[in-house]
């Protein structure tokens, strides 16, 4: 695979993908960036990646839109007429393939929802495209997101907000769990560094076990939970606090917010661009 990729935007998500691709061995001269303030991102130039201002034609066949959703309309307007024969891959939350195609005038649009563990090649990305784009460029998207983790094609675009709620935002829930467990561990008598080491390695080990075990999360949990034991005492407290119901509400809130942001972003920017 010797495709070149241009990123529109050089923020958190673009950098996560760039870091993952570089770690995977993709040559820096196959990556380039178009962003508003190139001087802010000179570190990327130092790593061999070309940086250009908005309005510059993207290089290569793969163009990854990695601006905030509310910045996408302006960025896409500046790309019009430069995307012939290319595929536009948007990682922007909530923006639909129909709207992206309309704003960019690009025939081939793929919507992707990655997450920041992509920066260490442990990302999870949901993908959606119409049938013809998937046939023509699906392999390129699989290469791009497979370089930085795992991917999954969705048959229905409306599930993209659910991917955002589960996988896109998911790392933040785990980090919140780590923060809360570390604070709780400190109250049990550990200093901050020890508490952090214990919690980080425990989450890391449990995630690895879950990933590599043939057993379900439920079975693995049950194996640690002896009747009348210490884990059961803790889990009873979590269940009394409606842990599962709380998580379900949290994910539903994220999904709902995704839909609202999507409607707002598309209507505001559509109006501004027309
Ligand atoms: N962060 C996550 O965990 C995550 C996960 C999944 C998906 N996403 C999606 O990824 C997208 C980017 O999020 P982020 O956290 O990376 O945002 P960010 O850090 O704010 O980065 C946005 C980037 O867009 C650039 N930009 C803004 N307007 C532009 C324009 N007209 N032309 C070219 N570049 C422009 C900015 O350039 P300057 O730096 O020069 O100002 C900046 O580098 C969002 O749509 C989000 O939904 C994020």
């Amino acid at each position: 695979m010797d495709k070149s990729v241009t990123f529109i935007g050089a923020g958190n998500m673009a950098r996560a993908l760039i870091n993952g691709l570089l770690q995977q061995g993709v040559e820096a001269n196959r990556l380039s960036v178009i962003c508003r303030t190139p001087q802010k991102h000179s570190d990327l130039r130092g790593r061999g990646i070309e940086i250009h201002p908005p309005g510059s034609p993207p290089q290569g066949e793969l163009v990854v839109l990695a601006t905030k959703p509310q910045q996408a309309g302006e960025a896409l307007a500046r790309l019009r007429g430069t995307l012939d024969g290319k595929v536009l891959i948007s990682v922007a939350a909530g923006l639909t393939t129909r709207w992206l195609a309309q704003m960019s005038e690009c025939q081939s649009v793929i919507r992707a929802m990655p997450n920041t563990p992509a920066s260490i090649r442990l990302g999870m990305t949901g993908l959606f495209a119409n049938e013809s784009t998937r046939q023509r460029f699906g392999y390129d998207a699989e290469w791009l997101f497979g370089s930085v983790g795992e991917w999954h094609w969705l048959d229905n675009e409306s599930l993209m907000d659910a991917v955002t709620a589960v996988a896109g935002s998911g790392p933040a829930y785990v980090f919140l769990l780590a923060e809360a467990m570390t604070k709780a561990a400190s109250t049990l008598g550990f200093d901050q560094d020890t508490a952090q080491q214990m919690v980080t390695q425990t989450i890391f080990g449990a995630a690895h076990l879950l990933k590599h075990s043939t057993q379900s999360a439920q079975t693995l949990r049950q194996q640690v939970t002896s009747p009348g034991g210490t884990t059961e005492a803790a889990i009873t407290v979590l269940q009394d606090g409606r842990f599962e119901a709380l998580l379900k509400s949290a994910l539903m809130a994220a999904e709902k917010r995704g839909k609202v942001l999507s409607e707002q972003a598309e209507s505001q920017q559509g109006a501004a661009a027309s």
Side-chain angles (χ1 to χ4, degrees), residues 10-13 36-37 40-41 67-69 71 91-93 113-114:
N12 297 314
M13 201 60 237
R36 278 182 314 192
T37 45
K40 198 165 102 189
H41 302 290
T67 67
K68 293 277 191 211
Q71 300 164 330
V91 301
M113 179 45 61

Side-chain angles (χ1 to χ4, degrees), residues 7-17 33-41 51-55 65-79 90-95 112-117 124 164 167-172:
F7 290 87
I8 312 301
N12 297 314
M13 201 60 237
R15 282 169 177 269
L17 294 170
V33 165
I34 294 174
C35 63
R36 278 182 314 192
T37 45
Q39 64 279 14
K40 198 165 102 189
H41 302 290
I51 309 181
H52 304 281
L65 176 72
T67 67
K68 293 277 191 211
Q70 59 273 26
Q71 300 164 330
E74 190 192 326
L76 292 175
R78 304 205 67 167
L79 285 172
S90 168
V91 301
L95 304 180
M113 179 45 61
N115 60 13
T116 51
M124 179 68 226
T164 309
S169 306

Side-chain angles (χ1 to χ4, degrees), residues 65 69 72 90 92-97 99-100 111 157 262 265-266 269:
L65 176 72
S90 168
L95 304 180
T96 60
T97 48
W99 185 85
L100 291 158
R111 203 171 148 190
E157 185 167 4
S262 145
E266 293 195 355
Q269 293 186 67

Side-chain angles (χ1 to χ4, degrees), residues 216-228:
S216 67
Q218 186 185 20
T219 304
L220 292 170
R221 172 177 58 77
Q222 284 165 346
Q223 284 169 359
V224 192
T225 316
S226 318

Side-chain angles (χ1 to χ4, degrees), residues 30 82 206-208 234 252:
R30 283 170 45 202
T82 68
H208 259 257
M252 286 170 72

